Amino acid sequence: AQSVTQPDIHITVSEGASLELRCNYSYGATPYLFWYVQSPGQGLQLLLKYFSGDTLVQGIKGFEAEFKRSQSSFNLRKPSVHWSDAAEYFCAVGALEYGNKLVFGAGTILRVKS
Amino acid sequence: DVKVTQSSRYLVKRTGEKVFLECVQDMDHENMFWYRQDPGLGLRLIYFSYDVKMKEKGDIPEGYSVSREKKERFSLILESASTNQTSMYLCASSLGGVQPQHFGDGTRLSIL
């Protein structure tokens, strides 16, 4: 069965430092990959997506992610974190073979120290 | 921008009540989804619908049902609410196929 693992439940970084959030997936098919962000009390907002082509994708708010098929990973990065980036981040995976559904990771809570 | 609207942000109900959660999207999306979100568990799919009057069970459908009589509206029904259904409920919609899902702001439901 397909699954998504976000190994870090919490991450704390200093404002201005770089950030990398990890995501590993287990899929038997060609994955469609997504990163979402959720601010407290809000729904999820799409940061970026990967369907095919260039394995480094740019998203909103200065985020980027890199698809590495050999490692089954789709890690999210940002060069310099701002206090407003504090939120929960979710990785999600889908595949045509599994219909229109996405499978979400358990999430990583990002705290930003000033 | 896609707008997904959930009828209530906060809801308090009693055990045994029949509870309706409503979701409306304004972008003519084929797919609509209901998730529940619990700390440490991420989002778990309850039901989804890929067309009017069509529905499929997700990973945790027990105790829930859904209705999609119109393309823009997808309702989640708790037939007889129980305390273990206290949770955050999120509705989402997307175009057909594997596409980004657009989320509402969620309904925090408490069952007392």
Side-chain angles (χ1 to χ4, degrees):
Chain A
Q2 58 271 34
S3 65
V4 179
T5 302
Q6 293 180 244
D8 303 303
I9 299 173
H10 298 98
I11 281 187
T12 300
V13 299
S14 298
E15 192 168 16
S18 64
L19 170 70
E20 183 170 31
L21 301 182
R22 296 182 291 162
C23 173
N24 293 96
Y25 64 89
S26 172
Y27 253 69
T30 300
Y32 291 60
L33 298 156
F34 307 83
W35 273 102
Y36 286 86
V37 60
Q38 185 181 34
S39 298
Q42 303 294 317
L44 277 69
Q45 180 184 21
L46 180 70
L47 285 175
L48 47 78
K49 64 182 186 285
Y50 172 79
F51 285 3
S52 64
D54 191 347
T55 56
L56 184 64
V57 294
Q58 303 297 320
I60 62 171
K61 304 179 188 248
F63 285 91
E64 65 178 28
E66 186 171 14
F67 170 54
K68 292 185 177 180
R69 184 184 298 276
S70 61
Q71 298 176 20
S72 297
S73 69
F74 187 57
N75 294 348
L76 182 71
R77 300 194 294 250
K78 187 169 185 178
S80 177
V81 169
H82 188 262
W83 64 266
S84 60
D85 293 323
E88 189 163 14
Y89 292 79
F90 293 92
C91 180
V93 184
L96 292 174
E97 290 82 346
Y98 298 115
N100 301 333
K101 298 178 290 185
L102 300 182
V103 174
F104 286 81
T108 297
I109 296 172
L110 172 65
R111 300 190 179 111
V112 180
K113 292 189 303 186
S114 57
Chain B
D1 269 358
V2 177
K3 183 72 174 174
V4 179
T5 303
Q6 295 185 230
S7 53
S8 305
R9 292 298 301 272
Y10 301 93
L11 207 53
V12 180
K13 297 291 183 181
R14 297 207 174 272
T15 56
E17 280 192 68
K18 190 169 187 176
V19 180
F20 293 85
L21 302 183
E22 306 288 343
C23 176
V24 177
Q25 52 96 1
D26 66 356
M27 283 300 292
D28 204 35
H29 282 172
E30 288 84 357
N31 298 330
M32 295 190 74
F33 307 84
W34 275 107
Y35 296 91
R36 66 177 281 175
Q37 182 180 15
D38 300 290
L41 297 178
L43 276 68
R44 293 180 292 167
L45 182 64
I46 304 171
Y47 268 97
F48 70 101
S49 169
Y50 52 89
D51 201 351
V52 175
K53 296 190 186 293
M54 306 302 288
K55 61 186 179 184
E56 285 197 23
K57 293 180 181 179
D59 300 316
I60 52 165
E62 295 79 17
Y64 304 94
S65 62
V66 291
S67 172
R68 193 169 181 198
E69 296 296 319
K70 294 184 178 182
K71 191 174 186 179
E72 67 271 19
R73 185 179 297 271
F74 193 35
S75 302
L76 179 69
I77 303 154
L78 286 64
E79 297 290 344
S80 177
S82 64
T83 55
N84 62 13
Q85 293 178 308
T86 290
S87 187
M88 169 71 94
Y89 290 86
L90 292 167
C91 175
S93 72
S94 74
L95 292 167
V98 183
Q99 294 291 337
Q101 294 181 11
H102 301 265
F103 285 82
D105 286 337
T107 295
R108 187 164 294 282
L109 175 65
S110 296
I111 307 296
L112 304 179

Coordinates of all heavy atoms in Angstrom, one line a residue, chain B residues 6-80:
Chain B
Q6 N -16.8 25.9 4.2 CA -17.4 24.9 5.1 C -18.3 25.7 6.0 O -18.0 26.8 6.5 CB -16.3 24.2 5.9 CG -15.4 23.3 5.1 CD -14.4 22.5 5.8 OE1 -13.3 22.5 5.5 NE2 -14.9 21.8 6.9
S7 N -19.5 25.2 6.2 CA -20.6 25.9 6.8 C -20.3 26.4 8.2 O -20.8 27.5 8.6 CB -21.9 25.1 6.8 OG -21.7 23.9 7.4
S8 N -19.5 25.7 9.0 CA -19.3 26.1 10.4 C -17.8 26.0 10.7 O -17.1 25.1 10.2 CB -20.0 25.2 11.4 OG -21.4 25.2 11.1
R9 N -17.2 26.9 11.5 CA -15.9 26.8 11.9 C -15.8 26.0 13.2 O -14.8 25.2 13.4 CB -15.3 28.2 12.2 CG -15.0 29.0 11.0 CD -14.1 28.4 10.0 NE -12.7 28.2 10.6 CZ -11.8 29.1 10.6 NH1 -12.0 30.3 10.1 NH2 -10.6 28.8 11.1
Y10 N -16.8 26.1 14.1 CA -16.8 25.4 15.3 C -18.3 24.9 15.5 O -19.2 25.6 15.2 CB -16.5 26.3 16.5 CG -15.1 26.9 16.4 CD1 -14.9 28.2 15.9 CD2 -14.0 26.2 16.9 CE1 -13.7 28.7 15.8 CE2 -12.7 26.8 16.8 CZ -12.6 28.0 16.2 OH -11.3 28.6 16.1
L11 N -18.3 23.6 16.0 CA -19.6 23.0 16.2 C -19.5 22.1 17.5 O -18.6 21.4 17.6 CB -19.9 22.2 15.0 CG -21.4 21.9 14.6 CD1 -22.2 23.2 14.5 CD2 -21.4 21.1 13.3
V12 N -20.6 22.2 18.3 CA -20.6 21.4 19.5 C -21.9 20.6 19.5 O -23.0 21.2 19.3 CB -20.5 22.2 20.8 CG1 -20.6 21.3 22.0 CG2 -19.3 23.0 20.8
K13 N -21.8 19.3 19.6 CA -23.0 18.4 19.5 C -23.0 17.4 20.6 O -21.9 17.3 21.3 CB -23.1 17.7 18.1 CG -23.3 18.7 17.0 CD -24.6 19.3 16.9 CE -24.8 20.2 15.7 NZ -26.1 20.8 15.7
R14 N -24.1 16.7 20.8 CA -24.1 15.7 21.9 C -24.1 14.3 21.3 O -24.5 14.1 20.1 CB -25.4 15.9 22.7 CG -25.5 17.2 23.4 CD -26.3 17.2 24.7 NE -26.3 18.4 25.4 CZ -25.3 18.7 26.3 NH1 -24.4 17.8 26.6 NH2 -25.3 19.8 26.9
T15 N -23.6 13.4 22.1 CA -23.6 12.0 21.6 C -25.0 11.5 21.2 O -26.0 11.9 21.8 CB -23.0 11.0 22.7 OG1 -23.8 11.2 23.9 CG2 -21.6 11.3 23.0
G16 N -25.0 10.7 20.1 CA -26.2 10.2 19.6 C -26.9 11.1 18.6 O -27.8 10.7 17.9
E17 N -26.5 12.4 18.5 CA -27.2 13.3 17.6 C -26.7 13.0 16.1 O -25.6 12.4 15.9 CB -26.7 14.8 17.8 CG -27.5 15.4 19.0 CD -27.2 16.9 19.0 OE1 -27.7 17.6 18.0 OE2 -26.6 17.4 19.9
K18 N -27.6 13.3 15.2 CA -27.2 13.3 13.8 C -26.6 14.6 13.4 O -27.3 15.6 13.6 CB -28.4 12.9 12.9 CG -28.1 12.6 11.5 CD -29.3 12.0 10.7 CE -29.0 11.5 9.4 NZ -30.1 10.8 8.7
V19 N -25.4 14.6 12.8 CA -24.7 15.8 12.6 C -24.4 16.0 11.1 O -24.0 15.0 10.4 CB -23.3 15.9 13.3 CG1 -22.6 17.2 13.1 CG2 -23.6 15.7 14.8
F20 N -24.6 17.2 10.6 CA -24.4 17.5 9.2 C -23.3 18.5 9.0 O -23.4 19.6 9.6 CB -25.7 18.0 8.5 CG -26.8 17.0 8.4 CD1 -27.7 16.8 9.5 CD2 -27.0 16.3 7.3 CE1 -28.7 15.9 9.4 CE2 -28.0 15.3 7.2 CZ -28.9 15.2 8.2
L21 N -22.3 18.2 8.2 CA -21.2 19.2 7.9 C -21.4 19.4 6.4 O -21.4 18.5 5.6 CB -19.8 18.6 8.2 CG -19.6 18.2 9.7 CD1 -18.2 17.8 9.9 CD2 -19.9 19.4 10.6
E22 N -21.4 20.7 6.1 CA -21.7 21.1 4.7 C -20.4 21.7 4.1 O -19.7 22.5 4.8 CB -22.8 22.1 4.6 CG -24.1 21.7 5.3 CD -24.8 20.6 4.5 OE1 -24.5 20.4 3.3 OE2 -25.7 19.9 5.1
C23 N -20.2 21.5 2.8 CA -19.1 22.0 2.1 C -19.5 22.4 0.7 O -20.2 21.7 0.0 CB -18.0 21.0 2.0 SG -16.6 21.5 1.0
V24 N -19.1 23.6 0.3 CA -19.5 24.1 -1.1 C -18.3 24.7 -1.7 O -17.5 25.4 -1.1 CB -20.5 25.3 -0.9 CG1 -20.9 25.8 -2.3 CG2 -21.8 24.8 -0.3
Q25 N -18.1 24.3 -3.0 CA -17.0 24.8 -3.8 C -17.5 25.6 -5.0 O -18.6 25.2 -5.5 CB -16.0 23.7 -4.2 CG -16.6 22.5 -4.9 CD -16.6 22.5 -6.4 OE1 -16.1 23.5 -7.0 NE2 -17.2 21.5 -7.0
D26 N -16.8 26.6 -5.5 CA -17.3 27.5 -6.5 C -16.6 27.4 -7.8 O -16.7 28.3 -8.7 CB -17.3 28.9 -6.0 CG -15.8 29.5 -5.8 OD1 -14.9 28.7 -6.0 OD2 -15.7 30.6 -5.4
M27 N -15.8 26.3 -8.0 CA -15.0 26.2 -9.2 C -15.3 25.0 -10.1 O -14.5 24.6 -11.0 CB -13.5 26.1 -8.9 CG -12.9 27.5 -8.5 SD -13.1 28.7 -9.8 CE -11.9 28.1 -11.0
D28 N -16.5 24.5 -10.0 CA -17.0 23.4 -10.9 C -16.0 22.2 -10.9 O -15.9 21.5 -11.9 CB -17.1 24.0 -12.3 CG -18.1 23.1 -13.2 OD1 -19.1 22.7 -12.6 OD2 -17.8 23.0 -14.4
H29 N -15.5 21.9 -9.7 CA -14.6 20.8 -9.6 C -15.3 19.5 -9.6 O -16.4 19.3 -8.9 CB -13.7 20.9 -8.3 CG -12.6 21.9 -8.4 ND1 -11.8 22.2 -7.3 CD2 -12.1 22.5 -9.5 CE1 -10.9 23.1 -7.8 NE2 -11.0 23.3 -9.1
E30 N -14.7 18.4 -10.2 CA -15.4 17.1 -10.2 C -15.2 16.4 -8.9 O -16.2 15.8 -8.4 CB -14.7 16.2 -11.3 CG -15.1 16.6 -12.8 CD -14.2 17.7 -13.3 OE1 -13.3 18.3 -12.6 OE2 -14.4 18.1 -14.5
N31 N -14.0 16.5 -8.3 CA -13.8 15.7 -7.1 C -14.0 16.5 -5.9 O -13.7 17.7 -5.8 CB -12.3 15.3 -7.1 CG -11.9 14.4 -8.3 OD1 -12.7 13.7 -8.8 ND2 -10.7 14.5 -8.7
M32 N -14.6 15.9 -4.9 CA -14.7 16.5 -3.5 C -14.3 15.4 -2.5 O -14.6 14.3 -2.7 CB -16.1 17.1 -3.3 CG -16.4 18.3 -4.2 SD -17.8 19.2 -3.8 CE -17.3 20.1 -2.4
F33 N -13.8 15.9 -1.4 CA -13.2 15.0 -0.4 C -13.6 15.5 1.0 O -13.7 16.7 1.3 CB -11.7 15.0 -0.5 CG -11.1 14.7 -1.8 CD1 -11.0 15.7 -2.8 CD2 -10.7 13.4 -2.2 CE1 -10.5 15.5 -4.0 CE2 -10.2 13.2 -3.4 CZ -10.1 14.2 -4.3
W34 N -13.7 14.5 1.9 CA -13.8 14.8 3.4 C -12.7 14.1 4.1 O -12.5 12.9 3.9 CB -15.2 14.4 3.9 CG -16.2 15.4 3.8 CD1 -17.3 15.4 2.9 CD2 -16.4 16.6 4.5 NE1 -18.1 16.5 3.1 CE2 -17.5 17.3 4.1 CE3 -15.6 17.2 5.5 CZ2 -18.0 18.5 4.6 CZ3 -16.1 18.5 6.0 CH2 -17.2 19.1 5.5
Y35 N -12.0 14.9 4.9 CA -10.9 14.3 5.8 C -11.2 14.7 7.2 O -11.9 15.6 7.5 CB -9.6 15.0 5.4 CG -9.0 14.7 4.0 CD1 -9.3 15.6 3.0 CD2 -8.2 13.7 3.8 CE1 -8.8 15.4 1.7 CE2 -7.6 13.5 2.5 CZ -8.0 14.4 1.5 OH -7.4 14.2 0.2
R36 N -10.6 13.8 8.1 CA -10.5 14.3 9.5 C -9.0 14.4 9.8 O -8.2 13.6 9.3 CB -11.3 13.4 10.5 CG -10.8 12.0 10.7 CD -11.6 11.3 11.8 NE -11.2 11.6 13.1 CZ -11.8 11.2 14.2 NH1 -12.9 10.5 14.1 NH2 -11.3 11.6 15.4
Q37 N -8.7 15.4 10.7 CA -7.4 15.7 11.0 C -7.2 15.6 12.5 O -7.9 16.3 13.3 CB -7.0 17.1 10.6 CG -5.5 17.4 10.9 CD -5.1 18.8 10.4 OE1 -6.0 19.6 10.1 NE2 -3.8 19.0 10.4
D38 N -6.3 14.7 13.0 CA -6.0 14.5 14.4 C -4.5 14.6 14.6 O -3.7 14.2 13.8 CB -6.5 13.2 14.9 CG -8.0 13.0 14.7 OD1 -8.8 13.7 15.4 OD2 -8.4 12.2 13.8
P39 N -4.1 15.2 15.7 CA -2.7 15.5 16.0 C -1.9 14.2 15.8 O -2.2 13.1 16.4 CB -2.7 16.0 17.4 CG -4.0 16.6 17.6 CD -5.0 15.7 16.8
G40 N -0.8 14.3 15.1 CA 0.1 13.1 14.9 C -0.4 12.1 13.9 O 0.4 11.2 13.5
L41 N -1.6 12.3 13.4 CA -2.1 11.3 12.4 C -2.2 11.9 11.0 O -2.6 11.2 10.1 CB -3.5 10.8 12.9 CG -3.4 10.0 14.2 CD1 -4.9 9.5 14.5 CD2 -2.5 8.8 14.1
G42 N -2.0 13.2 10.9 CA -2.2 13.8 9.6 C -3.6 13.9 9.1 O -4.5 13.9 10.0
L43 N -3.8 13.8 7.8 CA -5.2 13.8 7.3 C -5.6 12.4 6.9 O -4.8 11.7 6.2 CB -5.2 14.7 6.0 CG -5.4 16.2 6.3 CD1 -4.2 16.8 6.9 CD2 -5.7 16.9 4.9
R44 N -6.7 12.0 7.3 CA -7.2 10.7 6.9 C -8.5 10.9 6.1 O -9.4 11.6 6.6 CB -7.5 9.8 8.2 CG -6.2 9.5 8.9 CD -6.4 8.6 10.1 NE -7.1 9.3 11.2 CZ -7.7 8.8 12.2 NH1 -7.7 7.5 12.4 NH2 -8.3 9.5 13.1
L45 N -8.6 10.2 5.0 CA -9.7 10.3 4.1 C -10.9 9.5 4.6 O -10.8 8.3 4.8 CB -9.3 9.9 2.7 CG -10.3 10.0 1.6 CD1 -10.6 11.5 1.3 CD2 -9.8 9.3 0.3
I46 N -12.1 10.2 4.7 CA -13.3 9.6 5.1 C -14.1 9.1 3.9 O -14.4 7.9 3.8 CB -14.1 10.5 6.0 CG1 -13.3 11.1 7.1 CG2 -15.4 9.8 6.5 CD1 -14.1 12.2 7.9
Y47 N -14.4 10.0 3.0 CA -15.1 9.7 1.8 C -14.7 10.7 0.7 O -14.2 11.8 1.0 CB -16.6 9.9 2.0 CG -17.4 8.7 2.4 CD1 -17.7 8.5 3.8 CD2 -17.9 7.7 1.5 CE1 -18.4 7.3 4.2 CE2 -18.6 6.6 1.9 CZ -18.9 6.4 3.2 OH -19.6 5.3 3.6
F48 N -14.8 10.3 -0.5 CA -14.7 11.2 -1.6 C -15.7 10.9 -2.7 O -16.4 9.9 -2.7 CB -13.3 11.2 -2.1 CG -12.9 10.0 -2.9 CD1 -12.9 10.0 -4.3 CD2 -12.4 8.9 -2.2 CE1 -12.5 8.9 -5.0 CE2 -12.1 7.7 -2.9 CZ -12.1 7.8 -4.3
S49 N -15.9 11.9 -3.5 CA -16.8 11.9 -4.6 C -16.2 12.4 -5.9 O -15.6 13.5 -5.9 CB -18.1 12.7 -4.3 OG -18.9 12.8 -5.4
Y50 N -16.4 11.7 -7.0 CA -15.8 12.1 -8.2 C -16.9 12.6 -9.2 O -16.5 12.9 -10.4 CB -14.9 11.0 -8.9 CG -15.6 9.7 -9.0 CD1 -16.3 9.4 -10.1 CD2 -15.5 8.8 -7.9 CE1 -16.9 8.1 -10.2 CE2 -16.1 7.5 -8.0 CZ -16.8 7.2 -9.2 OH -17.5 6.0 -9.3
D51 N -18.1 12.6 -8.8 CA -19.2 13.1 -9.6 C -20.4 13.2 -8.8 O -20.5 12.6 -7.7 CB -19.4 12.1 -10.8 CG -20.1 12.8 -12.0 OD1 -20.6 14.0 -11.8 OD2 -20.2 12.2 -13.1
V52 N -21.4 13.9 -9.3 CA -22.7 14.0 -8.6 C -23.3 12.6 -8.3 O -23.2 11.7 -9.2 CB -23.7 14.8 -9.4 CG1 -25.0 14.9 -8.7 CG2 -23.1 16.2 -9.6
K53 N -23.8 12.4 -7.1 CA -24.4 11.1 -6.7 C -23.4 10.0 -6.7 O -23.8 8.8 -6.4 CB -25.6 10.8 -7.5 CG -26.7 11.8 -7.5 CD -28.0 11.3 -8.1 CE -29.1 12.3 -8.1 NZ -29.5 12.7 -6.8
M54 N -22.1 10.2 -6.9 CA -21.1 9.1 -6.8 C -20.3 9.3 -5.6 O -19.9 10.5 -5.2 CB -20.2 9.2 -8.1 CG -20.9 9.1 -9.4 SD -21.9 7.6 -9.6 CE -20.7 6.4 -9.7
K55 N -19.9 8.3 -4.9 CA -19.1 8.4 -3.7 C -18.3 7.1 -3.6 O -18.7 6.0 -4.0 CB -20.0 8.6 -2.5 CG -21.0 7.4 -2.2 CD -21.9 7.7 -1.1 CE -22.9 6.5 -0.8 NZ -23.9 6.8 0.2
E56 N -17.2 7.2 -2.9 CA -16.4 6.1 -2.6 C -15.8 6.2 -1.2 O -15.5 7.3 -0.7 CB -15.2 6.0 -3.5 CG -15.5 5.5 -4.9 CD -14.3 5.0 -5.7 OE1 -13.3 4.7 -5.1 OE2 -14.4 5.0 -6.9
K57 N -15.7 5.1 -0.5 CA -15.2 5.1 0.9 C -13.7 5.4 0.8 O -13.0 5.0 -0.1 CB -15.4 3.7 1.5 CG -16.9 3.4 1.8 CD -17.0 2.1 2.4 CE -18.5 1.8 2.6 NZ -18.7 0.4 3.2
G58 N -13.3 6.1 1.9 CA -11.9 6.4 2.1 C -11.3 5.4 3.0 O -11.8 4.2 3.1
D59 N -10.4 5.8 3.9 CA -9.7 4.9 4.8 C -10.5 4.7 6.1 O -10.3 3.7 6.7 CB -8.3 5.5 5.1 CG -7.5 5.6 3.9 OD1 -7.5 4.7 3.1 OD2 -6.8 6.7 3.7
I60 N -11.3 5.7 6.5 CA -12.0 5.6 7.8 C -13.5 5.9 7.6 O -14.0 6.9 8.2 CB -11.3 6.4 8.8 CG1 -11.2 7.9 8.3 CG2 -10.0 5.9 9.3 CD1 -10.8 8.9 9.5
P61 N -14.3 5.2 6.8 CA -15.7 5.6 6.6 C -16.7 5.2 7.7 O -17.8 5.7 7.7 CB -16.0 4.8 5.3 CG -15.2 3.6 5.4 CD -13.9 4.0 6.1
E62 N -16.2 4.4 8.6 CA -17.2 3.8 9.6 C -17.8 5.0 10.5 O -17.0 5.8 11.0 CB -16.5 2.8 10.5 CG -16.0 1.6 9.8 CD -14.7 1.8 9.0 OE1 -14.0 2.8 9.3 OE2 -14.4 1.0 8.2
G63 N -19.1 5.0 10.6 CA -19.8 6.0 11.4 C -20.1 7.2 10.6 O -20.7 8.2 11.2
Y64 N -19.8 7.3 9.3 CA -20.0 8.4 8.5 C -20.8 8.0 7.2 O -20.7 6.9 6.8 CB -18.7 9.1 8.1 CG -17.8 9.5 9.2 CD1 -16.8 8.7 9.6 CD2 -17.9 10.8 9.8 CE1 -15.9 9.1 10.7 CE2 -17.1 11.2 10.8 CZ -16.1 10.3 11.2 OH -15.2 10.7 12.2
S65 N -21.5 9.0 6.7 CA -22.0 8.8 5.3 C -21.9 10.2 4.6 O -21.5 11.2 5.3 CB -23.5 8.4 5.3 OG -24.3 9.3 6.0
V66 N -22.1 10.2 3.3 CA -22.0 11.5 2.6 C -23.1 11.6 1.6 O -23.8 10.6 1.3 CB -20.6 11.6 1.8 CG1 -19.5 11.7 2.8 CG2 -20.5 10.4 0.9
S67 N -23.3 12.8 1.1 CA -24.3 13.1 0.1 C -23.8 14.1 -0.9 O -23.2 15.1 -0.5 CB -25.6 13.6 0.8 OG -26.5 14.1 -0.2
R68 N -24.0 13.9 -2.2 CA -23.6 14.8 -3.2 C -24.7 14.9 -4.2 O -24.7 14.2 -5.2 CB -22.3 14.5 -3.8 CG -21.7 15.7 -4.6 CD -20.3 15.5 -5.1 NE -19.8 16.6 -5.8 CZ -18.7 16.6 -6.6 NH1 -18.0 15.5 -6.7 NH2 -18.3 17.7 -7.2
E69 N -25.7 15.7 -4.0 CA -26.8 15.9 -4.9 C -26.5 16.9 -5.9 O -27.2 16.9 -7.0 CB -28.0 16.3 -4.0 CG -28.5 15.2 -3.0 CD -28.9 14.0 -3.7 OE1 -29.6 14.1 -4.7 OE2 -28.6 12.9 -3.2
K70 N -25.7 17.9 -5.7 CA -25.3 18.9 -6.7 C -23.7 18.9 -6.8 O -23.0 18.6 -5.8 CB -25.8 20.3 -6.3 CG -27.3 20.4 -6.3 CD -27.7 21.8 -6.0 CE -29.3 21.9 -6.1 NZ -29.7 23.3 -5.9
K71 N -23.2 19.3 -7.9 CA -21.8 19.2 -8.1 C -21.0 20.1 -7.1 O -19.9 19.7 -6.7 CB -21.5 19.7 -9.5 CG -20.1 19.4 -10.0 CD -19.9 19.8 -11.4 CE -18.5 19.4 -11.9 NZ -18.3 19.7 -13.4
E72 N -21.6 21.2 -6.7 CA -20.8 22.1 -5.9 C -20.9 21.8 -4.4 O -20.2 22.4 -3.6 CB -21.3 23.6 -6.1 CG -22.7 23.9 -5.6 CD -23.8 23.6 -6.7 OE1 -23.5 22.9 -7.7 OE2 -24.9 24.1 -6.6
R73 N -21.7 20.9 -4.0 CA -22.0 20.7 -2.6 C -21.7 19.2 -2.2 O -22.2 18.3 -2.8 CB -23.4 21.1 -2.2 CG -23.8 21.0 -0.8 CD -25.2 21.4 -0.6 NE -25.5 22.8 -1.0 CZ -25.3 23.9 -0.2 NH1 -25.0 23.7 1.0 NH2 -25.6 25.1 -0.7
F74 N -21.0 19.1 -1.1 CA -20.7 17.7 -0.6 C -20.9 17.7 0.9 O -20.2 18.5 1.6 CB -19.2 17.4 -0.9 CG -18.8 16.0 -0.8 CD1 -19.7 14.9 -1.0 CD2 -17.5 15.6 -0.4 CE1 -19.3 13.6 -0.9 CE2 -17.1 14.3 -0.2 CZ -18.0 13.3 -0.5
S75 N -21.8 16.9 1.4 CA -22.1 16.9 2.8 C -21.6 15.7 3.5 O -21.7 14.6 2.9 CB -23.7 16.9 3.0 OG -24.2 18.1 2.3
L76 N -21.1 15.8 4.7 CA -20.7 14.7 5.6 C -21.7 14.6 6.7 O -22.1 15.6 7.3 CB -19.3 15.0 6.1 CG -18.7 13.9 7.1 CD1 -18.4 12.7 6.3 CD2 -17.5 14.5 7.8
I77 N -22.1 13.3 6.9 CA -23.1 13.1 7.9 C -22.6 12.1 8.9 O -22.1 11.0 8.6 CB -24.4 12.5 7.2 CG1 -24.9 13.4 6.1 CG2 -25.5 12.2 8.3 CD1 -25.7 12.8 5.1
L78 N -22.7 12.5 10.2 CA -22.4 11.6 11.3 C -23.8 11.1 11.8 O -24.6 11.8 12.3 CB -21.7 12.3 12.5 CG -20.2 12.7 12.3 CD1 -20.0 13.7 11.2 CD2 -19.6 13.2 13.6
E79 N -24.0 9.8 11.5 CA -25.4 9.2 11.7 C -25.8 9.2 13.2 O -26.9 9.5 13.5 CB -25.4 7.8 11.2 CG -25.2 7.7 9.7 CD -26.3 8.3 8.8 OE1 -27.4 8.5 9.4 OE2 -26.1 8.5 7.6
S80 N -24.8 8.9 14.1 CA -25.1 9.0 15.5 C -23.8 9.3 16.2 O -22.9 8.5 16.4 CB -25.6 7.6 16.0 OG -25.8 7.6 17.4

